[in-house]
Amino acid sequence: MNKKKLATISSAVVAVSLLTAACGSTSGTDGGGTAASSAPEAPLPLSIAIAQVGDIPAKGNAVEQAIEKYTNTKLDIQWIPSAAFNDKVNVMLASNEMPKLLKVNQTPNVVNAIESQLFWEIGPLLSSYKNLSAQNEQFFQNISVEGKVYGVPLYRNMGRGAIVYRKDWFDRLGLTVPKSIDGWYDTLKKLTQSDPDQNGKNDTYGIVLNKTYNQGAASMLTRLAVAMGGVNKWGVDKDANFTPEFMTKEFVDVLKLFRKLYEEKLINQDFAVLDATEAEKLFDTSRVGVRFAVATNGKSQQDRLSKTAPSAVVDVASFEGPQGVRISSENGNNGFLVIPKSSVKSEAELKRVLAFLDKLMDPDMSTLLLRGIEGTHFAKTADNRTEFIGDGFNAFQREVKPYRDNLPVLEGYNVAPLKDVPIGEKGTKMESDGIKYIVSNPALTLTSATFSERGQELEQQMNDAQTKFIMGKIDEAGYQDEIAKWRKAGGDSIMAEYKASYLKLRKK
């Protein structure tokens, strides 16, 4: 950050004088639920190790000063480059030399450290903190280990999945967003064969797949199967028996849909090798009518498309099927913050650290971390919304985003809505509201020794089988043979181990 900019921002500290209510006047408790003494409490020295996002913010910048003043802390932040982040965390775990707050991801090494009692369990204390306890319980369940909570999530909306589509093409062809497998076939066929862009050429697809089409939380197969009533990665019955999604009817029906589309050349024939970025370019250049993405992608898609097709209209819709709106849940976090016992040695200090995290979700701090400093990054509107001003958005990306991405805030909680173009506001609202419709993965935090050892290999085996099936290289019998191989190679063990883990948690 250059000196001129730093001076400008430092002067803006005056604009956040509303934050001087700080610790004593905003809380009324010491973080442990008892009345605070009348004497001012000394600032809490708080060392934090988090991921570097962009350039490292200058020490003592206006944002950091505002956080310290409001939360009554003295921050010592270690910014770890993203490329080396997990390696650096592993070194800290091995040495047990850690700061008072450490950002981690749910890797096997982190789970082992939790099981070795290196971090404080905080679940029983959360009810004492108004903001942390106000969040959906699923956020905490998704980072739990053996049913216990050892950290505060870096919250991300779980119900973000949505359909981004060319509304002008749909309107021109008299189409609506499908709610059934047959409806999807008919719609995608018309978008491919009926010249929706009216250029007289057979050069469009209803949808395209790329080589990661069936991987991770963004799996197109999972998203559509869940909408049709299926499970999210795994299903569990009343007897605690686990079934992987690829053995369920809804998932196989989606596979058959894409097999038929591929056979009739209604989807791209090169999907098995097509990069995701290249697939996205096809939408940007008016070659594709539908994308499975997240709701806020609608705005960025409209922005890019308008450069090549100014009259194009993009819209977003929820995944919906026979049972209504159903969205495959994402993990709901960008990692989580743990509190090491080696550096926070008493429960009293633990409660002060938790109070710090809780205060970050107060309205003043949520506004700071999600919008920036009023008058520098954003302004309030007459209708009680906020909007970025001047170069405020770019400045926010440099000066505030590094904190926002590493601290517990959630868009839509304790912050005024952001004024945006209609599709931007719609996408933001859909992502916030999506939590009402999520279908969670019941195996997300369960333990399986076989999965830890061979899970990635076994997943790849079935991903390859799905691609072979869609391309017609194997038939339904061949697909069932691949499932049998998966079961023999370790799949049966994973199902049994998930069942045992699930039953163990139910007894607690």
Side-chain angles (χ1 to χ4, degrees), residues 262-281:
Y262 183 87
E263 182 181 8
E264 298 179 13
K265 294 184 170 50
L266 299 176
I267 58 172
N268 54 312
Q269 304 293 286
D270 64 346
F271 76 89
V273 295
L274 185 68
D275 287 335
T277 53
E278 294 303 312
E280 194 166 300
K281 287 178 183 177

Side-chain angles (χ1 to χ4, degrees), residues 162-164 181 184 188 206-228 231 233 245 250-251 254-255 257-258 261 267-268 271 274 276 279 288 290-293 319 328 463 466 470:
I163 299 157
V164 179
I181 292 294
W184 274 106
L188 297 177
I207 198 168
V208 295
L209 275 60
N210 63 68
K211 63 185 180 182
T212 63
Y213 75 101
N214 59 349
Q215 297 178 23
S219 165
M220 297 173 67
L221 303 185
T222 301
R223 283 176 165 168
L224 189 52
V226 167
M228 295 301 111
V231 302
K233 303 301 183 184
E245 62 178 353
E250 293 84 1
F251 191 91
V254 172
L255 274 180
L257 166 68
F258 283 110
L261 292 170
I267 58 172
N268 54 312
F271 76 89
L274 185 68
V288 180
V290 175
R291 279 189 65 204
F292 292 176
F319 284 97
S328 56
N463 286 345
Q466 292 152 24
I470 290 173

Side-chain angles (χ1 to χ4, degrees), residues 133-162:
S133 62
Q135 307 313 310
N136 190 291
E137 186 180 352
Q138 192 68 47
F139 284 117
F140 293 94
Q141 290 178 357
N142 286 357
I143 62 167
S144 66
V145 174
E146 296 292 337
K148 297 181 178 180
V149 177
Y150 293 86
V152 172
L154 301 179
Y155 304 99
R156 296 294 181 271
N157 282 311
M158 290 182 278
R160 302 192 307 155

